[in-house]
Amino acid sequence: MNGLTEKQAASRLSEYGSNTLAEKNKNSAVKIFAGQFRDVMVMILLGATVISVFLGEIYDAVTIIAIVFLNAVLGFIQEYKTEKTLEALASMTAPTAKVIRDSKTKTIPAKDIVPDDIIIFEAGDRIPADAMILECSGLFTDESMLNGESEPVSKTTGINNDKDNSLNRPCVVYSGTVVTRGNGKAVVIATGKNAQVGKISHMISESSNSQTPLQKRLGELGKIVALICIGVCIVVFLAGVLRGEPVFDMLMTGITIAIAAIPEGLPATVTIALALAVNRMLKVKALVNKLHSVETLGCASVICSDKTGTITENKMTVKHIYTDFCEFDISGTGHKISGEITLDGKSLNPKAYPTLIRLFECCVLCSTAEIESDGVFNTRQRGMLKSEKEWNVHGDPTETALLIAAAKGSITKEKLSGLRKISEVPFDSETKMMSVTYRNAASNDIIYAKGAPDVLINKCGYVDTKDGIKLLDKAYTEKIEKEISFLSKRGLRVLALAYRQEESEFVFSGLAAMSDPPREEAKEAIKKCSQAHIRTVMITGDHKETAAAIAKEAGLLRDKKAVTGEELDNMTDEQLDRNIDDYAVYARVSPSHKLRLVKAYKRKGNVVTMTGDGVNDAPAIKEADVGVAMGITGTDVAKQAADVVLLDDNFATLVSAVEQGRGIYANIRKFVRYLLSSNIGEVIVMFLGILMGFPMVLLPTQLLLVNLVTDGLPAIALGMEPCEKNIMKNHPRGINESFFSNGLLFKIILRGVLIGLSTLACFTVILRITHDVRMSRTAALVTLIFSQLIHVFECKSETKGILRINIFSNIKLVLAVIISLAVVLSAIYFPPAHIIFGTVALPKKIIFISVAFSIAIPILASFTFKKKNKQ
């Protein structure tokens, strides 16, 4: 009991290592940066760069390299910033612990704790290592990070030489858990990776990552682009050779046009769009660890959510008081100051009910918790930030709930300051009750008690009524037991309260029924998920009745059922797969159950999002398509395993993140549609121009200008489109759904062909009018760029024509188009630019013709679109 000596501690530290978790393999800055070049599209661009240099097109090569480098830098910044943010979150955990060394109590860094150290802890402390309890007084710990249960666990003393640190042992305190009540002294039996939290952390760090749906789709897109490039090169080469052109010249021409087909700006635009979405999500309190997870959230078809603190507030609330055989209702949730007491739906003055006042006095006096009325609670409802006054609380959640209920009845510790506390018998798992003795001004002692109803009622000889204190006979007892059963079946936790004078039996004062209620914003979010055809299921370690009651109140159960972990154990995987759609609540589950459920939902073809805060959630979080950890209550292990961290632990924030995910995928489709249509148009112009024997329609520098103007700002601005209003009323897209589903490929090809043909037509018309190749090229350049900039507004929606779109809903896009137009006009009317781009100043008549050809395209496209819809 005198603890280790410093010399012994140093020896054990050398033998067992530091008391830290198995860290996730950290990527160096160089490795993170190099990882940005593994994308298929980026590899195609790098190949195009080499070919451009070989062909002498230095401008093209420099531009492509600049775009690839920009893409790599943006991706690197986001990933590196995330690594640093996780490190900062990890550092928020308690870094010190109290130990006895050399017979003295010392505070040392938790990482220096070693086996056989004697540690000391009290309420509020975080346990630094797994340890066998040697001494304790009224000790309770919050083990929800390991077992998923919201209720604190009662602890007892163990045997000094017992080294078993398996889960759910009442004589062991576990690393990372928090002391909620009492104090104790224990000998360390496992540290670091050997502690329970360390074992799970190690298992998580060994897991591998798979590609997200977006990465798979972009890989598919890259392959399609590569095939197009090869196809164009072969066709041009064969066409030229058959016409008698030199073989080498046609090979070079084919390669040049193939390079024009590559959407150079696509990888950078995707990265920028994802990075901007990450910043938008951060504003609504969701930190994205992995860039592509933003979009994967949008695929979610099943959300497996933890109950405590995510769907609920993780703040116990007294909902009902039963005294004098009447059930009083108490409004208000959590720690909010607002709330009133009603009876049969009618407001009342608590002072008119003496038994109610005496029960509240018992709630306040039989407590070690404290509340202060200077807090502010922020909540987000219907997208608006709402502030409410709330109590600052200190102490056990159950006791603070009782104090807040009493405060709503105008009973506080300050108003009872005339009573002096004499002694206290703390709650423990054997007596299942707590009692406190007070002395009044007349020197009379009064004992106030609270505890499990079945225990405390047996100690009561009387009952408090409006007609005075009555004998607690069989009829009264049956009435009380009936009420206890009624409240318990509603998923409420019931406590009994009583008081007595010295040398007399306890007087039954009443019952307090409490729960951890669903967040108001979580109810709205669950409804929103239902409208978005996303299934929300609750997975919790709590009892089935409690979980079902909360789920019903949150709007989860409806036509679904609740099932326990024990019932899951009796099902085969085939039976689970058959019945899984019938369940919305999973109660009394273990980490292995959570992992099994995630795998089962994935087998059914779902994209699964799993939320959690404890170490017990980490394996399932890692297995899910998108793992979501809690930022406030979440453990380091859960945060390491997660793709997204909810900084406010709020289910509504997760649903907002899903909406952003859907929006970002829609935006990626929009600018892919835009970029590919534009590039197909450029290929058509060059390809048909060569086949028809025209002079080169556009010069390489002019193609470069087109790519700079149209692949740049407008495409990025299109990626910043706000989410469409009905986006959360659509079905989630299938995990195997093609990137070009719902006719997107048809729209891209059609628009690309029309852009190419109109540009070629403009070139032909102007050439016949002026017989000036340079002016014809400039006019064709104007038609090409103007038609692409008009098309960017068409790409704002896949279901509406340009005349039905609000073009000002995204001001950044309007500004990007204005800047692009200014660049084009500078290239035409700024004399020094004529040398660089081979352009000439166009007369008004020619400009009018060029713009007319550009405007003709959306008219033709709209006609074709309407005709196709009618069919």
Side-chain angles (χ1 to χ4, degrees), residues 107-147:
T107 300
I108 65 169
K111 65 182 179 64
D112 293 337
I113 295 285
V114 295
D116 296 328
D117 256 328
I118 303 294
I119 57 173
I120 301 171
F121 40 84
E122 58 189 11
D125 288 348
R126 188 178 292 275
I127 303 296
D130 290 3
M132 182 63 59
I133 301 169
L134 302 175
E135 298 175 3
C136 68
S137 174
L139 181 62
F140 282 75
T141 61
D142 177 1
E143 295 183 0
S144 58
M145 62 170 283
L146 291 173
N147 61 21

Tab-separated table of all heavy atoms in Angstrom, residues 107-147:
chain	number	residue	atom	x	y	z
A	107	THR	N	1.306	13.411	-8.393
A	107	THR	CA	0.585	13.548	-9.660
A	107	THR	C	1.600	13.424	-10.786
A	107	THR	O	2.562	14.194	-10.857
A	107	THR	CB	-0.140	14.902	-9.755
A	107	THR	OG1	-1.087	15.001	-8.673
A	107	THR	CG2	-0.874	15.034	-11.078
A	108	ILE	N	1.406	12.413	-11.642
A	108	ILE	CA	2.375	12.160	-12.725
A	108	ILE	C	1.637	12.062	-14.064
A	108	ILE	O	0.413	11.872	-14.095
A	108	ILE	CB	3.162	10.850	-12.479
A	108	ILE	CG1	2.209	9.632	-12.523
A	108	ILE	CG2	3.916	10.907	-11.158
A	108	ILE	CD1	2.930	8.302	-12.546
A	109	PRO	N	2.342	12.183	-15.189
A	109	PRO	CA	1.701	11.969	-16.496
A	109	PRO	C	1.124	10.557	-16.586
A	109	PRO	O	1.770	9.590	-16.171
A	109	PRO	CB	2.851	12.163	-17.493
A	109	PRO	CG	3.852	13.004	-16.770
A	109	PRO	CD	3.756	12.603	-15.331
A	110	ALA	N	-0.091	10.442	-17.102
A	110	ALA	CA	-0.759	9.137	-17.186
A	110	ALA	C	0.051	8.133	-18.007
A	110	ALA	O	-0.013	6.925	-17.765
A	110	ALA	CB	-2.152	9.310	-17.781
A	111	LYS	N	0.825	8.622	-18.968
A	111	LYS	CA	1.613	7.717	-19.809
A	111	LYS	C	2.723	7.016	-19.020
A	111	LYS	O	3.261	5.995	-19.461
A	111	LYS	CB	2.212	8.478	-20.992
A	111	LYS	CG	3.228	9.539	-20.629
A	111	LYS	CD	3.723	10.272	-21.870
A	111	LYS	CE	4.723	11.363	-21.519
A	111	LYS	NZ	5.964	10.859	-20.924
A	112	ASP	N	3.047	7.549	-17.824
A	112	ASP	CA	4.119	6.956	-17.014
A	112	ASP	C	3.607	5.940	-15.998
A	112	ASP	O	4.393	5.385	-15.228
A	112	ASP	CB	4.896	8.062	-16.282
A	112	ASP	CG	5.661	8.956	-17.242
A	112	ASP	OD1	5.948	8.490	-18.360
A	112	ASP	OD2	5.968	10.116	-16.890
A	113	ILE	N	2.287	5.697	-15.982
A	113	ILE	CA	1.723	4.684	-15.085
A	113	ILE	C	2.224	3.301	-15.511
A	113	ILE	O	2.297	2.987	-16.700
A	113	ILE	CB	0.176	4.709	-15.157
A	113	ILE	CG1	-0.370	6.038	-14.629
A	113	ILE	CG2	-0.433	3.537	-14.409
A	113	ILE	CD1	-0.327	6.183	-13.143
A	114	VAL	N	2.562	2.458	-14.512
A	114	VAL	CA	3.066	1.110	-14.799
A	114	VAL	C	2.303	0.075	-13.966
A	114	VAL	O	1.678	0.432	-12.961
A	114	VAL	CB	4.587	1.006	-14.494
A	114	VAL	CG1	5.381	1.899	-15.408
A	114	VAL	CG2	4.870	1.300	-13.021
A	115	PRO	N	2.326	-1.209	-14.365
A	115	PRO	CA	1.705	-2.251	-13.552
A	115	PRO	C	2.256	-2.243	-12.120
A	115	PRO	O	3.452	-2.014	-11.908
A	115	PRO	CB	2.084	-3.545	-14.288
A	115	PRO	CG	2.233	-3.120	-15.713
A	115	PRO	CD	2.837	-1.752	-15.648
A	116	ASP	N	1.367	-2.472	-11.159
A	116	ASP	CA	1.660	-2.497	-9.711
A	116	ASP	C	1.710	-1.111	-9.096
A	116	ASP	O	1.923	-0.980	-7.880
A	116	ASP	CB	2.940	-3.265	-9.387
A	116	ASP	CG	2.831	-4.738	-9.750
A	116	ASP	OD1	1.713	-5.271	-9.667
A	116	ASP	OD2	3.849	-5.335	-10.147
A	117	ASP	N	1.510	-0.045	-9.902
A	117	ASP	CA	1.346	1.291	-9.322
A	117	ASP	C	0.052	1.310	-8.513
A	117	ASP	O	-0.946	0.688	-8.885
A	117	ASP	CB	1.249	2.356	-10.427
A	117	ASP	CG	2.542	3.153	-10.568
A	117	ASP	OD1	3.224	3.354	-9.548
A	117	ASP	OD2	2.853	3.594	-11.702
A	118	ILE	N	0.054	2.047	-7.401
A	118	ILE	CA	-1.173	2.271	-6.640
A	118	ILE	C	-1.727	3.620	-7.093
A	118	ILE	O	-1.054	4.651	-6.974
A	118	ILE	CB	-0.912	2.314	-5.117
A	118	ILE	CG1	-0.237	1.009	-4.643
A	118	ILE	CG2	-2.223	2.564	-4.364
A	118	ILE	CD1	-1.097	-0.204	-4.761
A	119	ILE	N	-2.949	3.616	-7.635
A	119	ILE	CA	-3.556	4.871	-8.097
A	119	ILE	C	-4.687	5.281	-7.167
A	119	ILE	O	-5.346	4.426	-6.559
A	119	ILE	CB	-4.071	4.749	-9.546
A	119	ILE	CG1	-5.076	3.598	-9.693
A	119	ILE	CG2	-2.925	4.572	-10.526
A	119	ILE	CD1	-5.760	3.523	-11.057
A	120	ILE	N	-4.911	6.589	-7.058
A	120	ILE	CA	-5.971	7.146	-6.216
A	120	ILE	C	-6.902	7.955	-7.117
A	120	ILE	O	-6.438	8.696	-7.986
A	120	ILE	CB	-5.378	8.066	-5.114
A	120	ILE	CG1	-4.394	7.278	-4.247
A	120	ILE	CG2	-6.474	8.680	-4.262
A	120	ILE	CD1	-3.611	8.146	-3.281
A	121	PHE	N	-8.201	7.828	-6.894
A	121	PHE	CA	-9.143	8.549	-7.755
A	121	PHE	C	-10.391	8.919	-6.969
A	121	PHE	O	-10.715	8.321	-5.944
A	121	PHE	CB	-9.508	7.693	-8.976
A	121	PHE	CG	-9.710	6.236	-8.655
A	121	PHE	CD1	-10.929	5.772	-8.176
A	121	PHE	CD2	-8.672	5.321	-8.807
A	121	PHE	CE1	-11.107	4.438	-7.864
A	121	PHE	CE2	-8.847	3.975	-8.499
A	121	PHE	CZ	-10.072	3.531	-8.030
A	122	GLU	N	-11.097	9.925	-7.473
A	122	GLU	CA	-12.334	10.393	-6.858
A	122	GLU	C	-13.273	10.873	-7.967
A	122	GLU	O	-12.936	10.823	-9.156
A	122	GLU	CB	-12.038	11.521	-5.873
A	122	GLU	CG	-11.336	12.701	-6.504
A	122	GLU	CD	-10.861	13.721	-5.483
A	122	GLU	OE1	-10.877	13.434	-4.273
A	122	GLU	OE2	-10.476	14.814	-5.926
A	123	ALA	N	-14.474	11.325	-7.580
A	123	ALA	CA	-15.474	11.749	-8.554
A	123	ALA	C	-14.901	12.776	-9.527
A	123	ALA	O	-14.257	13.749	-9.114
A	123	ALA	CB	-16.694	12.335	-7.842
A	124	GLY	N	-15.113	12.527	-10.820
A	124	GLY	CA	-14.623	13.434	-11.863
A	124	GLY	C	-13.325	12.995	-12.498
A	124	GLY	O	-12.970	13.472	-13.578
A	125	ASP	N	-12.594	12.082	-11.860
A	125	ASP	CA	-11.299	11.630	-12.401
A	125	ASP	C	-11.505	10.604	-13.516
A	125	ASP	O	-12.452	9.808	-13.482
A	125	ASP	CB	-10.446	10.986	-11.306
A	125	ASP	CG	-9.901	12.015	-10.328
A	125	ASP	OD1	-9.986	13.216	-10.633
A	125	ASP	OD2	-9.405	11.609	-9.261
A	126	ARG	N	-10.583	10.616	-14.480
A	126	ARG	CA	-10.563	9.587	-15.522
A	126	ARG	C	-9.545	8.523	-15.108
A	126	ARG	O	-8.418	8.852	-14.754
A	126	ARG	CB	-10.172	10.196	-16.872
A	126	ARG	CG	-10.306	9.221	-18.041
A	126	ARG	CD	-9.958	9.888	-19.356
A	126	ARG	NE	-10.914	10.899	-19.735
A	126	ARG	CZ	-12.057	10.671	-20.383
A	126	ARG	NH1	-12.360	9.424	-20.729
A	126	ARG	NH2	-12.880	11.639	-20.680
A	127	ILE	N	-9.964	7.271	-15.129
A	127	ILE	CA	-9.084	6.169	-14.723
A	127	ILE	C	-7.954	6.037	-15.757
A	127	ILE	O	-8.215	5.923	-16.953
A	127	ILE	CB	-9.865	4.842	-14.614
A	127	ILE	CG1	-11.026	4.973	-13.625
A	127	ILE	CG2	-8.936	3.703	-14.219
A	127	ILE	CD1	-10.622	5.247	-12.198
A	128	PRO	N	-6.675	6.016	-15.293
A	128	PRO	CA	-5.560	6.020	-16.244
A	128	PRO	C	-5.149	4.638	-16.767
A	128	PRO	O	-4.434	4.537	-17.756
A	128	PRO	CB	-4.423	6.632	-15.426
A	128	PRO	CG	-4.727	6.210	-14.023
A	128	PRO	CD	-6.224	6.193	-13.905
A	129	ALA	N	-5.589	3.557	-16.087
A	129	ALA	CA	-5.178	2.201	-16.486
A	129	ALA	C	-6.142	1.207	-15.863
A	129	ALA	O	-6.878	1.537	-14.924
A	129	ALA	CB	-3.751	1.921	-16.018
A	130	ASP	N	-6.166	-0.024	-16.377
A	130	ASP	CA	-6.990	-1.067	-15.756
A	130	ASP	C	-6.380	-1.399	-14.392
A	130	ASP	O	-5.167	-1.642	-14.292
A	130	ASP	CB	-7.011	-2.334	-16.618
A	130	ASP	CG	-7.793	-2.137	-17.913
A	130	ASP	OD1	-8.260	-1.008	-18.157
A	130	ASP	OD2	-7.921	-3.115	-18.676
A	131	ALA	N	-7.238	-1.425	-13.357
A	131	ALA	CA	-6.701	-1.623	-11.994
A	131	ALA	C	-7.687	-2.374	-11.108
A	131	ALA	O	-8.904	-2.227	-11.250
A	131	ALA	CB	-6.365	-0.267	-11.371
A	132	MET	N	-7.135	-3.188	-10.199
A	132	MET	CA	-7.925	-3.936	-9.227
A	132	MET	C	-8.163	-3.039	-8.001
A	132	MET	O	-7.213	-2.485	-7.448
A	132	MET	CB	-7.174	-5.207	-8.818
A	132	MET	CG	-7.918	-6.095	-7.832
A	132	MET	SD	-9.468	-6.742	-8.489
A	132	MET	CE	-8.878	-7.648	-9.927
A	133	ILE	N	-9.431	-2.927	-7.578
A	133	ILE	CA	-9.780	-2.018	-6.481
A	133	ILE	C	-9.350	-2.603	-5.140
A	133	ILE	O	-9.689	-3.747	-4.804
A	133	ILE	CB	-11.295	-1.737	-6.481
A	133	ILE	CG1	-11.718	-1.120	-7.822
A	133	ILE	CG2	-11.677	-0.810	-5.333
A	133	ILE	CD1	-13.217	-1.050	-8.027
A	134	LEU	N	-8.618	-1.804	-4.375
A	134	LEU	CA	-8.169	-2.212	-3.040
A	134	LEU	C	-9.051	-1.615	-1.953
A	134	LEU	O	-9.350	-2.254	-0.952
A	134	LEU	CB	-6.718	-1.768	-2.825
A	134	LEU	CG	-5.692	-2.302	-3.830
A	134	LEU	CD1	-4.331	-1.688	-3.570
A	134	LEU	CD2	-5.621	-3.825	-3.778
A	135	GLU	N	-9.462	-0.369	-2.152
A	135	GLU	CA	-10.336	0.331	-1.206
A	135	GLU	C	-11.308	1.186	-2.009
A	135	GLU	O	-10.939	1.737	-3.046
A	135	GLU	CB	-9.533	1.264	-0.278
A	135	GLU	CG	-8.529	0.584	0.607
A	135	GLU	CD	-7.698	1.603	1.392
A	135	GLU	OE1	-7.978	2.822	1.260
A	135	GLU	OE2	-6.779	1.188	2.103
A	136	CYS	N	-12.563	1.314	-1.548
A	136	CYS	CA	-13.493	2.233	-2.218
A	136	CYS	C	-14.620	2.613	-1.273
A	136	CYS	O	-14.936	1.881	-0.330
A	136	CYS	CB	-14.040	1.630	-3.502
A	136	CYS	SG	-15.145	0.224	-3.294
A	137	SER	N	-15.217	3.761	-1.558
A	137	SER	CA	-16.350	4.245	-0.772
A	137	SER	C	-17.388	4.823	-1.728
A	137	SER	O	-17.124	5.833	-2.393
A	137	SER	CB	-15.893	5.330	0.214
A	137	SER	OG	-17.003	5.903	0.872
A	138	GLY	N	-18.542	4.133	-1.817
A	138	GLY	CA	-19.619	4.603	-2.691
A	138	GLY	C	-19.155	4.835	-4.122
A	138	GLY	O	-19.558	5.814	-4.755
A	139	LEU	N	-18.305	3.936	-4.647
A	139	LEU	CA	-17.662	4.154	-5.943
A	139	LEU	C	-18.544	3.707	-7.112
A	139	LEU	O	-19.022	2.578	-7.150
A	139	LEU	CB	-16.338	3.383	-5.991
A	139	LEU	CG	-15.504	3.514	-7.275
A	139	LEU	CD1	-15.071	4.957	-7.502
A	139	LEU	CD2	-14.283	2.592	-7.216
A	140	PHE	N	-18.738	4.651	-8.068
A	140	PHE	CA	-19.443	4.363	-9.313
A	140	PHE	C	-18.612	4.916	-10.467
A	140	PHE	O	-18.037	5.998	-10.363
A	140	PHE	CB	-20.824	5.036	-9.341
A	140	PHE	CG	-21.870	4.329	-8.539
A	140	PHE	CD1	-21.885	4.401	-7.151
A	140	PHE	CD2	-22.852	3.580	-9.162
A	140	PHE	CE1	-22.845	3.757	-6.408
A	140	PHE	CE2	-23.823	2.919	-8.433
A	140	PHE	CZ	-23.831	3.008	-7.059
A	141	THR	N	-18.549	4.155	-11.546
A	141	THR	CA	-17.817	4.637	-12.727
A	141	THR	C	-18.706	4.577	-13.964
A	141	THR	O	-19.585	3.724	-14.076
A	141	THR	CB	-16.547	3.802	-12.990
A	141	THR	OG1	-16.914	2.441	-13.232
A	141	THR	CG2	-15.577	3.891	-11.843
A	142	ASP	N	-18.466	5.506	-14.876
A	142	ASP	CA	-19.163	5.528	-16.159
A	142	ASP	C	-18.360	4.673	-17.139
A	142	ASP	O	-17.287	5.071	-17.585
A	142	ASP	CB	-19.274	6.974	-16.663
A	142	ASP	CG	-19.921	7.065	-18.033
A	142	ASP	OD1	-20.303	6.013	-18.583
A	142	ASP	OD2	-20.040	8.186	-18.554
A	143	GLU	N	-18.878	3.483	-17.466
A	143	GLU	CA	-18.188	2.553	-18.369
A	143	GLU	C	-18.859	2.487	-19.737
A	143	GLU	O	-18.693	1.526	-20.480
A	143	GLU	CB	-18.114	1.160	-17.736
A	143	GLU	CG	-17.252	1.122	-16.482
A	143	GLU	CD	-17.122	-0.270	-15.883
A	143	GLU	OE1	-17.710	-1.219	-16.447
A	143	GLU	OE2	-16.441	-0.398	-14.846
A	144	SER	N	-19.619	3.543	-20.080
A	144	SER	CA	-20.361	3.531	-21.345
A	144	SER	C	-19.442	3.412	-22.557
A	144	SER	O	-19.825	2.869	-23.584
A	144	SER	CB	-21.223	4.790	-21.471
A	144	SER	OG	-20.429	5.955	-21.389
A	145	MET	N	-18.205	3.894	-22.436
A	145	MET	CA	-17.261	3.787	-23.556
A	145	MET	C	-16.923	2.334	-23.866
A	145	MET	O	-16.543	1.998	-24.982
A	145	MET	CB	-15.987	4.561	-23.254
A	145	MET	CG	-15.221	4.061	-22.040
A	145	MET	SD	-13.600	4.796	-21.861
A	145	MET	CE	-12.682	3.893	-23.074
A	146	LEU	N	-17.088	1.448	-22.845
A	146	LEU	CA	-16.773	0.030	-23.040
A	146	LEU	C	-18.012	-0.844	-23.203
A	146	LEU	O	-18.019	-1.787	-23.975
A	146	LEU	CB	-15.950	-0.499	-21.862
A	146	LEU	CG	-14.518	0.038	-21.734
A	146	LEU	CD1	-13.897	-0.437	-20.430
A	146	LEU	CD2	-13.668	-0.403	-22.912
A	147	ASN	N	-19.087	-0.510	-22.442
A	147	ASN	CA	-20.267	-1.383	-22.472
A	147	ASN	C	-21.489	-0.745	-23.124
A	147	ASN	O	-22.514	-1.397	-23.309
A	147	ASN	CB	-20.636	-1.869	-21.058
A	147	ASN	CG	-20.970	-0.716	-20.117
A	147	ASN	OD1	-21.300	0.391	-20.544
A	147	ASN	ND2	-20.899	-0.976	-18.821
